Amino acid sequence: MFGYRVPDPDEAMLISGGRRGLGGAPFRVVTGHGKFVLPVFRKTRFLTLAMCEAEVSETCVTRQGIALTVKAVIAFKVGNDHESIVNAGQRFLSDQDQMSVLTGRIFAGHLRSIIGSMTVEEIVTERQKLATEVLETSKTEMAKIGLTVDSLQIQSIDDGKTGYIEAMAAPHKAAIQRQAQIAQAQATQAAVEAQQAAARNQAEYARQTAVVQADFTAQVDRAQAQAAQAGPLAQAHAQQEVIAAQTELALRAAELRQQQLVAEIVKPAEAEAERIRVLAVADAERMRIQAAAAASHDRVALERMIIDQLPQIVKEAASGLQGANVNVLNGADGLGEIAAGLVGQGLTILDSVRKNLRAEGAPAAHPSAEVQVRGKGQDGANGRVDID
């Protein structure tokens, strides 16, 4: 709209002409809203409220007489209150760039004054204290011209070629370098120890790996050797078992053959020899009896003598059965029948002697006795005992 003016958010609109502003100010201050301004009759100007910056590079002498070049940056602006805007407008409205120039000069003076009361050590180590004191001392003057300082930063402190700051820092540098060297040595030692430990671990791992591989190789070799020997060992074992079986079979065949020879040759021969011995004993006994009877011419006496000798004859016949080939076919009854047969054989011999005695002049013969005992055993089966 024609004649209606609105300031920017970071500006203050100053309207001069007409009635005065607050507090007798030669202009009215408008911020944050618009205002209708009569053209020709009123004049409108704008004052910045934005943040401004001023740089200071000043050579200052400390309490020790050492010249230091100090560089600082000041951040300032026009105050937001009505009084600050009026004060700043009256001083800088026509040339607002002068705010930075004047602010730098003000802070340079205060900076020289404060540094002159401090030592180099205090300035270097207590920069924040220096900035705070400069701000406090300049606050009143800045308020008079309508400016407020937001911050003061000391950028650098240089002693030129005197080397005071460097000499002051030398012990600290030496200590720091010493600590750095110690730390480096410790780090190097730790690195070497770590490398040695890693090398030992690698060697131990390699050793364990070699042991395991050797053990595995030995096991494989043993398994292969056992597998290679398994066939011949099994074959040899089988052959050994075959030889053992053949040997045992041969031994059994020899034992069987020996038993057969004993049964077929030895036992019959022993039985035949015993039979001949018994007959010879009986014949000799007959001849003795005949001789005795002929000498005594007493038949009764001879028979008595024969009867007396009958037990001895039976005994001789029984002793001949010890090695005879006797086949018992009907068990316990057969044994009884053998005993009866022995008695019967003795009687037969006695009867044969009697007959020979009756036959005068008959030649002596070699009698043979054959006794056959027949009967039934306890189980009813027929049995026979043959004595040759």
Side-chain angles (χ1 to χ4, degrees):
M1 181 181 293
F2 181 75
Y4 190 80
R5 306 296 296 273
V6 179
D8 292 335
D10 58 347
E11 290 180 338
M13 186 172 62
L14 306 181
I15 303 173
S16 60
R19 59 191 180 92
R20 290 181 174 272
L22 296 177
F27 46 81
R28 290 177 292 170
V29 178
V30 177
T31 57
H33 60 87
K35 189 74 172 176
F36 183 78
V37 179
L38 291 175
V40 181
F41 299 100
R42 304 286 186 271
K43 189 175 182 179
T44 304
R45 303 286 296 274
F46 294 92
L47 179 67
T48 181
L49 302 180
M51 180 67 63
C52 297
E53 179 180 300
E55 293 184 358
V56 176
S57 179
E58 192 70 17
T59 300
C60 307
V61 180
T62 66
R63 189 176 61 187
Q64 299 161 314
I66 299 173
L68 298 177
T69 301
V70 181
K71 292 182 179 181
V73 176
I74 304 101
F76 68 94
K77 64 182 292 298
V78 178
N80 293 327
D81 59 289
H82 185 271
E83 183 180 359
S84 296
I85 293 174
V86 171
N87 291 336
Q90 288 177 341
R91 289 170 176 80
F92 305 111
L93 186 59
S94 59
D95 189 4
Q96 299 186 27
D97 293 336
Q98 287 297 317
M99 288 190 293
S100 299
V101 176
L102 182 59
T103 300
R105 290 175 181 177
I106 293 173
F107 273 88
H110 289 289
L111 195 61
R112 286 195 301 270
S113 175
I114 294 174
I115 288 178
S117 63
M118 297 176 67
T119 63
V120 178
E121 289 77 6
E122 293 174 345
I123 296 169
V124 172
T125 58
E126 300 180 3
R127 290 190 181 188
Q128 187 60 39
K129 177 182 178 181
L130 172 62
T132 302
E133 289 184 2
V134 172
L135 286 174
E136 291 295 328
T137 55
S138 62
K139 183 182 294 183
T140 303
E141 293 182 18
M142 294 293 288
K144 288 180 180 180
I145 60 178
L147 301 178
T148 61
V149 179
D150 288 343
S151 67
L152 170 64
Q153 296 294 330
I154 305 298
Q155 289 184 325
S156 65
I157 300 173
D158 185 12
D159 61 352
K161 297 181 179 180
T162 60
Y164 187 89
I165 296 176
E166 184 176 359
M168 185 179 64
H172 301 285
K173 286 183 179 180
I176 292 173
Q177 290 177 353
R178 183 172 59 254
Q179 293 177 357
Q181 291 175 353
I182 293 173
Q184 182 65 35
Q186 292 177 349
T188 303
Q189 182 179 359
V192 172
E193 292 178 353
Q195 291 177 354
Q196 293 176 352
R200 288 195 299 271
N201 293 334
Q202 290 178 356
E204 179 64 19
Y205 179 76
R207 184 188 68 80
Q208 293 178 358
T209 302
V211 170
V212 172
Q213 289 178 350
D215 187 29
F216 179 75
T217 303
Q219 292 179 1
V220 172
D221 293 340
R222 285 197 298 271
Q224 290 177 351
Q226 291 176 357
Q229 295 176 357
L233 288 175
Q235 185 177 2
H237 185 66
Q239 290 178 356
Q240 184 178 2
E241 291 182 351
V242 170
I243 293 172
Q246 291 177 350
T247 302
E248 185 177 359
L249 182 61
L251 291 175
R252 290 183 179 179
E255 291 178 357
L256 181 60
R257 182 57 182 165
Q258 182 179 5
Q259 293 176 0
Q260 290 178 351
L261 291 175
V262 171
E264 294 175 357
I265 298 174
V266 177
K267 293 297 182 181
E270 290 178 352
E272 179 64 20
E274 187 63 24
R275 185 181 68 80
I276 293 171
R277 189 184 68 78
V278 171
L279 291 177
V281 170
D283 186 58
E285 187 65 20
R286 180 181 61 79
M287 292 177 67
R288 187 181 67 78
I289 292 173
Q290 286 179 355
S296 62
H297 299 284
D298 189 353
R299 187 177 301 275
V300 177
L302 181 59
E303 290 181 356
R304 175 62 62 183
M305 185 178 59
I306 292 172
I307 292 170
D308 292 337
Q309 295 296 325
L310 181 60
Q312 183 64 30
I313 294 171
V314 173
K315 181 178 179 182
E316 291 295 335
S319 63
L321 293 176
Q322 293 179 359
N325 185 14
V326 180
N327 297 323
V328 180
L329 304 178
N330 55 353
D333 292 341
L335 294 176
E337 291 175 357
I338 291 173
L342 292 175
V343 177
Q345 185 177 7
L347 294 176
T348 302
I349 293 171
L350 179 59
D351 185 60
S352 177
V353 171
R354 287 178 178 176
K355 289 179 179 181
N356 290 330
L357 289 176
R358 292 191 189 103
E360 293 180 359
H366 298 281
S368 63
E370 178 180 1
V371 180
Q372 293 184 353
V373 181
R374 299 183 181 273
K376 295 184 178 180
Q378 294 179 359
D379 57 355
N382 291 327
R384 184 180 65 183
V385 179
D386 295 334
I387 302 175
D388 295 332

